[in-house]
Amino acid sequence: MEYKLDFITYSNALKKNRLLGLKCCQCGAITCPPKMVCQECTDTDLEVVQLSGNGEIKTFTTNYVAPLGREVEAPYTIVMVELEEGPWIAGNLIDIDPAKVGMELIGRKVKLGHKIFPGDQYSAGDAARPLFSFYDEA
Ligand SMILES: [Zn+2]
């Protein structure tokens, strides 16, 4: 079985603020982050599509205890975002004070950016990860 969208390609696109996903040729659902199969029907007939990167916060958590090697990043808020195209993806939320976030975050509109996280002892090197900022503010 081949990867239609491998992690390197996904990560390199993210570094240009382009969010890629997979559209299922059977049921039409969008899968993101990329997987081997459609996350709705498990079919393998998938095509790479570019997603808007816009979505709505569904839930969140604030992390005060960062993983080893990332202590300076804490505290930070991670949001689960339902993208306009359907799938939910996680990313760090910026433009807020993590110590002051509350339930008012739920439902806020956000747009995608990215941050390059340096490699550590558990990864193969630098990788881009989703970063979200508010979209519904002037
Ligand atoms: Zn499907």
Side-chain angles (χ1 to χ4, degrees):
M1 207 184 276
E2 62 162 335
Y3 283 100
K4 286 278 166 49
L5 176 57
D6 61 36
F7 181 73
I8 303 280
T9 306
Y10 174 77
S11 183
N12 284 343
L14 201 52
K15 288 177 182 174
K16 296 170 190 155
N17 287 331
R18 294 175 62 231
L19 182 64
L20 299 181
L22 292 163
K23 183 174 185 177
C24 178
C25 299
Q26 290 302 314
C27 78
I30 304 289
T31 295
C32 182
K35 297 183 173 74
M36 291 287 282
V37 299
C38 171
Q39 66 184 20
E40 293 299 325
C41 75
T42 71
D43 201 273
T44 57
D45 190 7
L46 307 167
E47 64 179 8
V48 177
V49 291
Q50 183 169 336
L51 307 179
S52 66
N54 297 331
E56 182 181 311
I57 295 175
K58 303 305 278 190
T59 189
F60 69 96
T61 188
T62 296
N63 191 354
Y64 288 89
V65 184
L68 191 63
R70 301 196 187 282
E71 293 84 352
V72 296
E73 295 173 26
Y76 54 88
T77 297
I78 299 168
V79 289
M80 280 301 294
V81 172
E82 180 180 27
L83 297 170
E84 287 176 348
E85 297 86 357
W88 292 27
I89 67 169
N92 288 42
L93 182 65
I94 57 169
D95 300 340
I96 46 112
D97 179 351
K100 292 180 182 162
V101 297
M103 297 309 282
E104 70 280 358
L105 279 188
I106 309 279
R108 293 288 304 272
K109 301 272 193 257
V110 287
K111 66 176 190 295
L112 179 93
H114 77 279
K115 181 179 173 187
I116 310 288
F117 287 83
D120 59 22
Q121 58 182 312
Y122 305 109
S123 63
D126 290 0
R129 289 196 218 143
L131 209 65
F132 288 98
S133 57
F134 295 118
Y135 188 61
D136 54 1
E137 260 175 358

